[in-house]
Amino acid sequence: MDRIAVVTDSASNLPPEVAAQYGITVVPIYLHWDGRTYRDGVDITPDEVYQRLRENKHLPHTAGPSAGDFLQTYLRLGREVKGIVSVHLPAELSSVIQAARLAADMAAEEVPVRVVDTGTAAMGAGFVALAAARAAAQGTGLDAVAQVAREVSPKVMVYAMLDTLEYLWRGGRIGRAAALVGAALQIKPILYLNNNVVDVLAKPRTRSRALRVMLDEMARRVDGHPVHVAVLHADAPVEARLLREQVEARFHCVEVLTSAFTPVMGAHTGPGLLGLAFYPEE
């Protein structure tokens, strides 16, 4: 009962084996597609999503877990733990954190919940959840675990090179990258989060150049420090493996993970994405 639990949602893109290893509870986001509802990573796999995206003109609609979904999770965990740290994407990108906060208020008499806005997405948020879970595993208290998450959040960077902006545009998640749409066929844009909004890092014309730009920018930000890294991909496992090899050869890595975009994230980016999520150790 002295344990602190860590909860996140499936948009954090934590590899399932990593979530299981550290006891992180992942609440699935929903996909509504052609009259059916799927739980992200439970009822539909990334491979199935990317195949359907290529064959189907209709994009799925995504919906975050409800406050009821989170409340059920918090109350179930509350029977076994002393407190919960719940880690999510910022409100500018998803309604999930609002549902988590509402559920935390409703659960307060049964179990204390600290909801943390990661300010980032994909495995960037995953790294925040992972740092919190590692602190919890050391017996750290509730507020201290939440503080670890808040301290890691601003350190994490996520870069993503897209084959096309079509899916972000159609899904309404394009932010300040909207100006690129007219040139999307001629470039392989690198996007990142800037003040919780999708913004443009660079506009290279080839995938190879885009990867070099991401690696160089990562080197600039890491500045020789040991680094936690996740290689991100959407239906590009071979290229992800090659990118991982470059990362391992060039940087002093504390850990390197490979994170396939979950169905919910992949539905917004489309296939072909390659990216890096990372943060340096001080």
Side-chain angles (χ1 to χ4, degrees):
M1 287 295 295
D2 290 336
R3 184 170 67 89
I4 303 303
V6 175
V7 172
T8 189
D9 59 83
S10 57
S12 294
N13 279 190
L14 274 170
E17 65 276 11
V18 174
Q21 178 183 353
Y22 289 94
I24 300 170
T25 299
V26 179
V27 181
I29 294 175
Y30 297 100
L31 290 92
H32 304 294
W33 208 349
D34 292 337
R36 292 189 60 185
T37 297
Y38 305 89
R39 291 170 296 172
D40 186 12
V42 178
D43 304 315
I44 193 166
T45 68
D47 287 345
E48 291 170 326
V49 169
Y50 299 125
Q51 181 178 348
R52 289 181 63 173
L53 284 173
R54 288 188 171 101
E55 298 173 351
N56 194 331
K57 293 183 179 180
H58 301 119
L59 284 182
H61 297 287
T62 60
S66 67
D69 291 331
F70 279 115
L71 180 61
Q72 184 179 29
T73 298
Y74 296 159
L75 294 179
R76 174 176 58 80
L77 290 171
R79 294 193 290 267
E80 305 171 357
V81 303
K82 188 177 181 179
I84 298 168
V85 174
S86 202
V87 175
H88 305 286
L89 275 63
E92 290 86 349
L93 295 179
S94 170
S95 63
V96 172
I97 196 168
Q98 297 167 337
R101 286 171 173 155
L102 179 58
D105 289 341
M106 292 188 290
E109 292 187 4
E110 301 296 329
V111 59
V113 181
R114 304 291 186 263
V115 178
V116 176
D117 180 341
T118 66
T120 186
M123 193 53 208
F127 271 136
V128 176
L130 189 52
R134 286 170 171 155
Q138 295 174 357
T140 308
L142 175 61
D143 288 328
V145 171
Q147 184 59 27
V148 166
R150 295 188 183 103
E151 289 174 355
V152 169
S153 294
K155 300 177 183 178
V156 178
M157 288 298 302
V158 178
Y159 300 138
M161 182 274 297
L162 276 64
D163 245 1
T164 173
L165 288 169
E166 175 187 359
Y167 297 95
L168 277 180
W169 175 254
R170 289 166 62 187
R173 303 299 179 93
I174 200 165
R176 285 191 284 269
L180 294 175
V181 171
L185 294 179
Q186 288 77 42
I187 61 175
K188 302 297 179 186
I190 301 170
L191 306 183
Y192 73 111
L193 282 177
N194 182 11
N195 294 324
N196 298 346
V197 177
V198 177
D199 207 342
V200 183
L201 176 69
K203 298 178 283 186
R205 294 186 176 275
T206 65
R207 289 175 70 86
S208 60
R209 175 60 181 161
L211 296 180
R212 288 197 299 273
V213 170
M214 286 195 295
L215 288 167
D216 289 347
E217 183 66 13
M218 177 175 158
R220 184 184 71 81
R221 288 187 172 271
V222 169
D223 193 27
H225 288 89
V227 64
H228 301 256
V229 190
V231 175
L232 317 175
H233 77 92
D235 200 31
V238 174
E239 289 179 289
R241 177 176 55 79
L242 295 174
L243 179 57
R244 177 170 176 153
E245 291 173 357
Q246 293 182 65
V247 167
E248 291 173 328
R250 183 169 177 178
F251 297 93
H252 177 194
C253 299
V254 177
E255 63 181 330
V256 185
L257 304 173
T258 299
S259 176
F261 260 31
T262 63
V264 158
M265 298 294 289
H268 289 304
T269 64
L273 173 145
L274 284 169
L276 296 168
F278 63 91
Y279 72 97
E281 288 202 343
E282 299 284 325

